[in-house]
Structure formats: structure tokens, C-alpha cells
Amino acid sequence: MAIVWTKAVSVFCLVLSLLKLSSALLEPNPFPKTLKECYDFRSYNMTPSDEVALMIQNHCFKNYQYKQIADGKIWTAPNITQEGMNYINSLFRKLFGEIVASSKSKHQKRQAAVRFRREVRSPGAFAPFVECIRRLYNTQVSANMNEYQAIASLHTGQALQSAHDGAAFLPWHRIYLLLLETACRGVPVPYWDSTVDHVMPDPTRSIVWSEQFFGNGDGQVLTGPFRNFQTTVPGDSITREIGTSRNALFTKEGLAAVLSRTRYSEIVEPKRGREYVYSLEGHHNGPHNWVGGHLPLPWVAAFDPVFFMHHAYVDAVWEVFRAQQIRNGIDPGRDYPLQNEPGHGPFDIIDFRPYFPPIRNIDAMSQAVARLVRYEPFPSCQNNCNSSPHLTCVGGVCMSRARPAASPIESFGGAAAFGPSAQDVPSQSRVLAQARGPIPGGERFRSSPFMDTRNRPNTIGNAPVAPELEAASFQARTAGMRSKRDASKILHYNVSSNAHVQSVSSLERSYTNTFIMDGVIDVKRWVYVPVRVVYNRTNANGNDPTFKANILKENLNEMCRAVGSGASKVYVASNGLDYFGTYKEFAIIDERQPISETTAAVGIKNPDYGAGEVMFSAYDSCGRPCRPFCLTSIQGKQKYRPCSGVFKISSAELQRCVCP
Ligand SMILES: [Cu+2]
């Protein structure tokens, strides 16, 4: 292993933004007041470190953006027609009627209609759900959208921030599942227990990836009940690439780790370092990433119905946790963290933007809501794997059966599409997926706590892992290694988890941007600004305390290790302050040089679509932030000066009228 960081070094990289542009004019601006206040407040009386600096940056920006959206200054929801809104509103009305009835039934001893969710492979569990999903998919709400797509569209935009990375994750998705069941007139969503796939020698062989269940898992979905499903982007057919991320499916070890905790705050995000292994949301990320294709991309994940079956399992795990809390004398309806990210507070309205149902996060934690659902116990050898013909008891645990070898999808390419030896043989589904290019879906879910070394590299070339997620995944890996031991102490699982550290260089990967601006995917709304990146390597005795690295040296070695060439990435991002849009690009710098300089082209709002305000930020592959410098004119001389990184974007023509 080549160790590039022979001694602790601190990095001082400068971002130098160019002033003049062909189509847009940028004018340096100070930080918006509330953003500045957040930075000041968060960094007050604190020993600055680079790791903390990036966290403060992210937190403050998220906070600011949330306020901007709440004030109606940014529009994030996808284009949805009035008919679509009416449809969703009618579903919410029905659901709230049921919740109200359920909250009264405790006193009146009246049983509300209970949705009995069963494992997807249990006899009779899957067919009624399929029937409903296909009905919703074949019913238009408006010319450009069917009922299923209208529901899937709720899992996009700003709502994603209030639905993920925090305590509201579980209540939000609980309401979401109930909403789909309301659309299905009470037909329950079956849950997909992927731990029974994980214990297979090769989980990609599972029966669920056959036309009997979810359809094919390699490329565009061409078989099974969801074949040829599309998102609302024209021509965007749902795609999968199972077993090609580094993440493991849901594991017994992950389940045991979550259930080893007693308080809600212990199993919800944000969790860093070794505590990540207790995060239910963290383990939920695993199957999203493992399935690949659309599922790892929050903006479009819900367009694949596998999303809902996976989330029903996550909800089931939460329900087991809640039952355990009740036995321990904790009221799960009141056990909520005190400190929360914006949108995740107990009294924040549950965020289904552009619909704001009259229900708060804490309300969705109530037993009145929980009582609407009952779960079949997880398949175990004791319950004969719920009598499923597709599960078998092996070594004390239920394991999924493999799909028949001659599954139709595998005959498309004339050979098996799965398996290590056959993965290069193109199947029709794979060829179609390859031809369509990257999915315009935004950033990925964070990496899960456990990795699976059996997984193969992604060959279709979908959107790669975003840089900050790479860093998080390092922490997750170390956490995973440690608590796997903790978890096995608790429950003595005998199953090999196949979860090991896997090191993959990300240098050759590109970053795929979403081109989503104000809820619309459109490349014309973006223009590009050249940003100069100057990477200045000084030793640890450098005299700038702000940039003094105090991350452990070993961590630096692991996190920031280059591939031996000395080349490393610096990420440059633009974040809209008064529009909803993020763009990220990276520049390759040479760490062997004392000073390395390069330029990255970063997308910002096209001023043809109106003036805007943008903030640039940059950080290296270790998460150490850069300092922005702006080109300013002082007494007729062009000079770089420290600045906020915030710019006003206005059109060049407009500017010409003002300046003679
Ligand atoms: Cu989600």
C-alpha cells in the first residue's frame, strides 16, 4: 500500500473565480445575513478543524435553503398538473379520515381497517399488490402522468431533505406507504426482507429478480409486472443493475445492531463514525444502492415499485423496535430527538411538498397511525419461513430460492446475463440501459454501513457516488467492521455476512450532474463558469489555524490516499441561493507539487431565465474546504481578494445598459 501522506500536511487550496464571462456576468456579493449568522454561531468558540468546517458549511447551507423554500423564494417540486394535485389531495383526505378513525377507535373499541403486510414471497402476498400497481400505472391523472407516477413524484425535490438524513425519515415514509395503500383501496404493500437474499451464496440469483416477482435486475426492466415502467421524464425507463454497488443488502447483523438500541435518537440520522451502524436509515441505504439503476437516486427511486416493498420492510423493522420500546416502558409516540435538522423537528409539518398535509412528524409517530398496519413476522425457520415455497431453511435461517436458470431475460443475449463469467455477455436489457446513458436523477443515497465483497463493478456506468458520500462510506466501513463484532455478541448469528472492507479508487469516475433547476431537468437552464483551483501544499506548521488539519493521521492515509500517481481531486460546487440547483465538478491536482493549479467549469443558473444568486464552495477529497478568492478591480487594477464565494448572476446585456 503506497502511503502518500508521509507526514501530516495541511492543505490550503484557493478557489479563484473569474469575473468576465461570455453570457453571464458575476458580481461578488457578501454572504446573505442568515447564512453568515449561521456560520458565526456554529463556529463560535470552537477549535476549527477542516472536518468540522465542511459540516458547518453543509448544515448552514441546508438550513438557509430550507428557509428560502419555506418563504416561497425557491420552487422545487416537479411539474405537476392541477389534476395531479387534486388526485393526491383526495388520497390524503381519505388517509386522514382513517387516521382520525383509528385515534378514536382506542376508546370506542372499534377496529380500524388494518393493512396486513406480508413478506413478498409469502403465498398470495404479491399478486394483489401487482394488480393495484398496474391499475394505478394504467390510469392517467393528466396527459403526462399516471396515478402511480403522481404518487412517485412526491419523493422528489425539497421534500427529500425533510424525508431523509434525519428523525423524520421513518414517519415520512410510513405516511408515504399508507398513502400508496390508500390509492390501492387498502391492498397492503408486501415487504421485501432482503436479509433472506443476502444469506444466499449469490443474492443476484434470488427468485425476486424473475418475471414472477420484480422482473429482471440487469439493465432496463423488460420482464415481470413492472416491465417498461417509466419515470415522468420522457423515455426514462426504469433500470436496475443488481449486485454492482459496494453496499450489502439488509443484513441480520444490521437488524441486530438496530434492535440492540432502545431510544429512537440512537437509530436515526445523522450518525457519524461508529454510531452509523445503529442507523436504520443507514441500513436502508444498502438495498437502494445494491439494486442500482434508478433505486440509488432519491429523485427517481420511487418510480420502481421495489422502492415501496423495500420501505415496507424498513417500516416493519421500525415497528419491531417500537414494540421493544413499549416492553421497556418507553412511549414510541413521544420518544423524539431534541436536536434536529430543518424539516425533521417533531412539530414540523410532514413535508409532502407541494402538498402540506395537516400532520406533524410527531403525529406520524403515534400508535393511531401504527395501528393501521400489522406485519407478518419475519420469515424464520421457527415459522417455517411463513410457509413460502420460495424460501428454504438453511443453517438455521430462511434463505431465498434462486430463480429458474432459464429465466426468459437470460435468453435475450443467448447466455446467462448474471454470474461472474457471464456478466460481459450483453442482454437486451443491458444493451438498452447502456444506450440510454446516465439516469438524470441527482445524488445518491449515502453508502450503507456494510459492504459486500461479492458485488461486481458497475458496468452500465450510471451516476457515480458523490464525493461527500465517498467520505461517509469510509466512516461507515470502519463502523461496520467494529459493530459487526458488537452485534454478534448480542445475538450470536452464525451467518457469514460477506461484509468486508473493499477499497475502490474513485479517481477515474466522473461526476454526473442532475441538471435539475427549480424542479425541471433541463440543460439549457445552465451556463458554465471557469473556476481556478490553486492547491497549495504547506506543512503542518503553517500559520493559518483555520486550515490546520486535526484529523487522525491514519484517517488521512485511508481517506485521502491517491492512487500512487500523486493526482487528487478538488471538488468545486455551486449552490443556488435563490434557485433550486446544485452543480458539482472536480479538478485534478498534483499533490507532489508545492502548488498545483487547474480550472474547473462549473454550472450556474443561465441568466436568460432570470437573475440569480449563487454560492461557490470547494473542498478536496479529504473534505477540507478551500478558501474563495474573487477577482476585483482596485484602482483600475485586477486583483484577487478573499471573498464570500457568493455571486449575483445577471445577464450581460442588462449590465451593458447600466454601465456606459
Ligand atoms: Cu426515501
Side-chain angles (χ1 to χ4, degrees):
M1 176 200 305
I3 294 169
V4 173
W5 300 89
T6 49
K7 58 185 170 190
V9 289
S10 80
V11 174
F12 183 58
C13 56
L14 320 177
V15 181
L16 304 150
S17 201
L18 300 186
L19 183 70
K20 273 278 183 206
L21 298 154
S22 52
S23 59
L25 196 80
L26 290 180
E27 191 187 312
N29 256 21
F31 277 122
K33 193 162 157 277
T34 44
L35 195 55
K36 176 88 168 57
E37 279 166 3
C38 178
Y39 281 144
D40 291 347
F41 175 73
R42 289 268 154 183
S43 51
Y44 178 71
N45 202 12
M46 208 175 55
T47 314
S49 82
D50 303 304
E51 203 180 9
V52 170
L54 188 63
M55 267 169 63
I56 293 173
Q57 259 185 24
N58 289 340
H59 173 88
C60 289
F61 176 72
K62 234 170 119 174
N63 231 320
Y64 180 79
Q65 192 185 43
Y66 182 74
K67 285 203 188 92
Q68 287 285 89
I69 290 162
D71 294 348
K73 288 177 182 153
I74 299 181
W75 175 252
T76 68
N79 282 344
I80 188 158
T81 56
Q82 190 59 47
E83 293 96 316
M85 288 178 82
N86 292 345
Y87 173 66
I88 298 294
N89 276 329
S90 73
L91 293 180
F92 270 122
R93 263 200 308 276
K94 252 184 244 166
L95 175 57
F96 294 135
E98 279 191 68
I99 293 173
V100 169
S102 166
S103 59
K104 284 177 183 161
S105 69
K106 196 167 65 177
H107 310 292
Q108 300 174 353
K109 289 192 174 167
R110 191 159 45 83
Q111 187 72 27
V114 173
R115 303 121 189 256
F116 184 47
R117 295 184 188 154
R118 304 165 63 208
E119 214 284 326
V120 65
R121 280 156 288 209
S122 292
F126 189 53
F129 176 70
V130 163
E131 204 185 317
C132 167
I133 296 297
R134 291 199 57 86
R135 175 174 62 78
L136 297 177
Y137 195 85
N138 291 319
T139 312
Q140 294 295 121
V141 279
S142 55
N144 63 346
M145 201 178 263
N146 61 50
E147 290 183 346
Y148 181 75
Q149 290 171 330
I151 294 167
S153 294
L154 292 172
H155 198 265
T156 53
Q158 166 62 23
L160 291 179
Q161 271 187 23
S162 319
H164 301 93
D165 300 318
F169 166 73
L170 290 166
W172 194 97
H173 288 84
R174 173 162 283 190
I175 295 294
Y176 196 34
L177 285 163
L178 289 169
L179 194 76
L180 179 65
E181 286 171 336
T182 301
C184 285
R185 299 167 191 148
V187 170
V189 178
Y191 68 81
W192 171 36
D193 179 351
S194 63
T195 67
V196 302
D197 299 320
H198 180 77
V199 295
M200 294 175 75
D202 178 2
T204 65
R205 296 285 327 158
S206 169
I207 185 88
V208 295
W209 306 109
S210 70
E211 72 280 1
Q212 262 194 79
F213 287 100
F214 303 164
N216 62 294
D218 64 328
Q220 194 169 319
V221 181
L222 297 176
T223 68
F226 315 126
R227 61 186 172 273
N228 302 323
F229 269 32
Q230 296 199 340
T231 71
T232 48
V233 176
D236 186 26
S237 298
I238 58 166
T239 300
R240 302 167 185 151
E241 209 191 355
I242 58 173
T244 58
S245 95
R246 287 183 283 158
N247 285 195
L249 287 165
F250 222 103
T251 60
K252 306 280 188 203
E253 291 82 357
L255 177 66
V258 171
L259 295 180
S260 71
R261 304 293 97 188
T262 51
R263 305 308 298 247
Y264 186 65
S265 61
E266 295 178 279
I267 64 160
V268 297
E269 294 284 280
K271 288 282 171 290
R272 297 290 171 260
R274 63 188 52 159
E275 291 195 324
Y276 188 45
V277 77
Y278 303 120
S279 164
L280 180 49
E281 185 175 349
H283 290 291
H284 133 277
N285 292 341
H288 270 287
N289 294 330
W290 186 91
V291 174
H294 281 74
L295 267 186
L297 307 166
W299 269 81
V300 289
F303 289 94
D304 186 341
V306 170
F307 174 97
F308 290 98
M309 293 179 277
H310 166 50
H311 267 280
Y313 177 74
V314 175
D315 192 80
V317 173
W318 183 30
E319 203 43 39
V320 172
F321 179 82
R322 288 165 61 98
Q324 200 176 268
Q325 284 193 305
I326 292 171
R327 286 198 297 277
N328 288 324
I330 299 165
D331 179 357
R334 289 178 197 284
D335 183 32
Y336 205 93
L338 296 171
Q339 295 276 321
N340 291 289
E341 292 289 311
H344 288 272
F347 306 115
D348 288 336
I349 294 286
I350 204 157
D351 187 351
F352 279 95
R353 205 172 299 261
Y355 326 93
F356 280 98
I359 180 170
R360 302 163 305 173
N361 288 324
I362 193 83
D363 301 326
M365 306 283 292
S366 69
Q367 285 302 101
V369 172
R371 264 201 303 272
L372 294 174
V373 174
R374 222 154 47 80
Y375 281 104
E376 179 180 67
F378 296 143
S380 69
C381 292
Q382 288 73 42
N383 63 26
N384 192 27
C385 306
N386 290 326
S387 308
S388 169
H390 307 292
L391 299 178
T392 160
C393 182
V394 176
V397 290
C398 292
M399 181 192 284
S400 181
R401 288 190 195 276
R403 64 179 178 282
S407 200
I409 188 61
E410 288 167 329
S411 60
F412 276 114
F418 292 98
S421 58
Q423 63 168 300
D424 296 329
V425 180
S427 62
Q428 189 192 347
S429 53
R430 185 167 285 270
V431 168
L432 285 170
Q434 228 133 14
R436 54 108 68 210
I439 301 161
E443 299 208 345
R444 300 197 142 212
F445 285 103
R446 190 182 166 191
S447 198
S448 73
F450 292 146
M451 302 295 126
D452 191 335
T453 48
R454 296 170 299 180
N455 293 347
R456 309 182 309 264
N458 176 328
T459 52
I460 291 180
N462 287 327
V465 180
E468 69 270 40
L469 306 188
E470 287 280 1
S473 121
F474 159 72
Q475 293 174 327
R477 286 202 304 272
T478 39
M481 284 186 294
R482 184 189 180 83
S483 76
K484 234 182 356 143
R485 271 176 256 129
D486 295 353
S488 62
K489 261 187 228 139
I490 305 158
L491 285 180
H492 296 284
Y493 274 111
N494 238 349
V495 189
S496 147
S497 77
N498 292 295
H500 300 292
V501 176
Q502 192 186 32
S503 168
V504 174
S505 163
S506 66
L507 198 68
E508 63 285 349
R509 285 177 169 169
S510 63
Y511 183 82
T512 305
N513 280 291
T514 66
F515 301 106
I516 295 164
M517 173 138 347
D518 296 337
V520 181
I521 300 171
D522 186 359
V523 288
K524 291 196 297 293
R525 287 169 186 249
W526 295 84
V527 290
Y528 300 89
V529 188
V531 176
R532 272 175 76 196
V533 176
V534 178
Y535 192 85
N536 187 351
R537 181 167 62 87
T538 59
N539 63 42
N541 304 324
N543 52 11
D544 187 338
T546 318
F547 289 90
K548 188 170 169 176
N550 65 358
I551 314 172
L552 283 176
K553 198 174 147 193
E554 306 88 83
N555 287 10
L556 277 177
N557 286 340
E558 173 71 23
M559 282 171 78
C560 320
R561 198 190 326 126
V563 284
S565 64
S568 177
K569 281 176 176 175
V570 170
Y571 296 91
V572 188
S574 84
N575 279 297
L577 292 177
D578 61 357
Y579 62 89
F580 185 82
T582 295
Y583 195 96
K584 230 173 250 179
E585 197 46 83
F586 65 82
I588 304 281
I589 47 100
D590 188 347
E591 287 179 339
R592 292 167 306 184
Q593 307 300 325
I595 292 180
S596 171
E597 195 182 311
T598 179
T599 303
V602 179
I604 58 169
K605 185 182 182 178
N606 183 345
D608 291 350
Y609 290 81
E613 199 175 18
V614 63
M615 181 171 72
F616 290 98
S617 57
Y619 49 94
D620 70 3
S621 50
C622 315
R624 291 174 288 204
C626 303
R627 281 195 147 181
F629 278 69
C630 300
L631 192 59
T632 41
S633 182
I634 302 154
Q635 293 165 349
K637 275 189 178 172
Q638 302 265 291
K639 255 199 152 174
Y640 283 109
R641 312 203 67 192
C643 61
S644 66
V646 174
F647 290 87
K648 192 109 209 130
I649 312 165
S650 51
S651 82
E653 290 93 282
L654 195 74
Q655 201 65 28
R656 225 176 285 129
C657 304
V658 183
C659 324

PDB file of all heavy atoms in Angstrom, residues 155 164 173 307 311 445, ligand 1:
ATOM      1  N   HIS A 155     -41.781  11.839  -4.017  1.00  0.00           N
ATOM      2  CA  HIS A 155     -40.456  11.539  -3.477  1.00  0.00           C
ATOM      3  C   HIS A 155     -39.396  12.250  -4.318  1.00  0.00           C
ATOM      4  O   HIS A 155     -38.490  11.644  -4.874  1.00  0.00           O
ATOM      5  CB  HIS A 155     -40.243  10.019  -3.486  1.00  0.00           C
ATOM      6  CG  HIS A 155     -39.134   9.545  -2.599  1.00  0.00           C
ATOM      7  ND1 HIS A 155     -37.856   9.325  -3.065  1.00  0.00           N
ATOM      8  CD2 HIS A 155     -39.096   9.257  -1.285  1.00  0.00           C
ATOM      9  CE1 HIS A 155     -37.101   8.905  -2.068  1.00  0.00           C
ATOM     10  NE2 HIS A 155     -37.816   8.859  -0.973  1.00  0.00           N
ATOM     11  N   HIS A 164     -35.249  12.584   4.526  1.00  0.00           N
ATOM     12  CA  HIS A 164     -34.033  11.781   4.670  1.00  0.00           C
ATOM     13  C   HIS A 164     -33.025  12.474   5.573  1.00  0.00           C
ATOM     14  O   HIS A 164     -33.147  13.651   5.845  1.00  0.00           O
ATOM     15  CB  HIS A 164     -33.398  11.514   3.298  1.00  0.00           C
ATOM     16  CG  HIS A 164     -34.325  10.787   2.377  1.00  0.00           C
ATOM     17  ND1 HIS A 164     -35.138  11.441   1.497  1.00  0.00           N
ATOM     18  CD2 HIS A 164     -34.599   9.474   2.243  1.00  0.00           C
ATOM     19  CE1 HIS A 164     -35.861  10.557   0.836  1.00  0.00           C
ATOM     20  NE2 HIS A 164     -35.564   9.355   1.268  1.00  0.00           N
ATOM     21  N   HIS A 173     -41.802   8.178   5.589  1.00  0.00           N
ATOM     22  CA  HIS A 173     -42.019   7.029   4.713  1.00  0.00           C
ATOM     23  C   HIS A 173     -43.174   6.156   5.202  1.00  0.00           C
ATOM     24  O   HIS A 173     -43.789   5.446   4.406  1.00  0.00           O
ATOM     25  CB  HIS A 173     -40.724   6.232   4.553  1.00  0.00           C
ATOM     26  CG  HIS A 173     -39.705   6.937   3.695  1.00  0.00           C
ATOM     27  ND1 HIS A 173     -38.848   7.888   4.194  1.00  0.00           N
ATOM     28  CD2 HIS A 173     -39.446   6.861   2.358  1.00  0.00           C
ATOM     29  CE1 HIS A 173     -38.094   8.355   3.207  1.00  0.00           C
ATOM     30  NE2 HIS A 173     -38.432   7.756   2.083  1.00  0.00           N
ATOM     31  N   PHE A 307     -39.122  -0.006  -4.588  1.00  0.00           N
ATOM     32  CA  PHE A 307     -38.961   1.018  -3.561  1.00  0.00           C
ATOM     33  C   PHE A 307     -39.930   0.787  -2.398  1.00  0.00           C
ATOM     34  O   PHE A 307     -39.536   0.773  -1.231  1.00  0.00           O
ATOM     35  CB  PHE A 307     -39.212   2.399  -4.190  1.00  0.00           C
ATOM     36  CG  PHE A 307     -39.228   3.546  -3.207  1.00  0.00           C
ATOM     37  CD1 PHE A 307     -38.100   4.320  -2.994  1.00  0.00           C
ATOM     38  CD2 PHE A 307     -40.388   3.860  -2.503  1.00  0.00           C
ATOM     39  CE1 PHE A 307     -38.125   5.376  -2.098  1.00  0.00           C
ATOM     40  CE2 PHE A 307     -40.417   4.909  -1.606  1.00  0.00           C
ATOM     41  CZ  PHE A 307     -39.284   5.671  -1.402  1.00  0.00           C
ATOM     42  N   HIS A 311     -39.253  -0.353   1.427  1.00  0.00           N
ATOM     43  CA  HIS A 311     -39.597   0.542   2.532  1.00  0.00           C
ATOM     44  C   HIS A 311     -40.582  -0.087   3.507  1.00  0.00           C
ATOM     45  O   HIS A 311     -40.582   0.241   4.692  1.00  0.00           O
ATOM     46  CB  HIS A 311     -40.105   1.884   2.005  1.00  0.00           C
ATOM     47  CG  HIS A 311     -38.997   2.881   1.899  1.00  0.00           C
ATOM     48  ND1 HIS A 311     -38.534   3.585   2.992  1.00  0.00           N
ATOM     49  CD2 HIS A 311     -38.217   3.237   0.858  1.00  0.00           C
ATOM     50  CE1 HIS A 311     -37.525   4.347   2.614  1.00  0.00           C
ATOM     51  NE2 HIS A 311     -37.305   4.155   1.325  1.00  0.00           N
ATOM     52  N   PHE A 445     -28.140   7.930  -2.548  1.00  0.00           N
ATOM     53  CA  PHE A 445     -28.241   7.695  -1.121  1.00  0.00           C
ATOM     54  C   PHE A 445     -26.835   7.491  -0.576  1.00  0.00           C
ATOM     55  O   PHE A 445     -25.955   6.995  -1.276  1.00  0.00           O
ATOM     56  CB  PHE A 445     -29.080   6.444  -0.838  1.00  0.00           C
ATOM     57  CG  PHE A 445     -30.552   6.648  -1.028  1.00  0.00           C
ATOM     58  CD1 PHE A 445     -31.201   6.172  -2.147  1.00  0.00           C
ATOM     59  CD2 PHE A 445     -31.295   7.328  -0.073  1.00  0.00           C
ATOM     60  CE1 PHE A 445     -32.562   6.363  -2.319  1.00  0.00           C
ATOM     61  CE2 PHE A 445     -32.655   7.523  -0.236  1.00  0.00           C
ATOM     62  CZ  PHE A 445     -33.292   7.039  -1.359  1.00  0.00           C
TER      63      PHE A 445
HETATM   64 CU    CU B   1     -36.975   7.972   0.678  1.00  0.00          CU
END
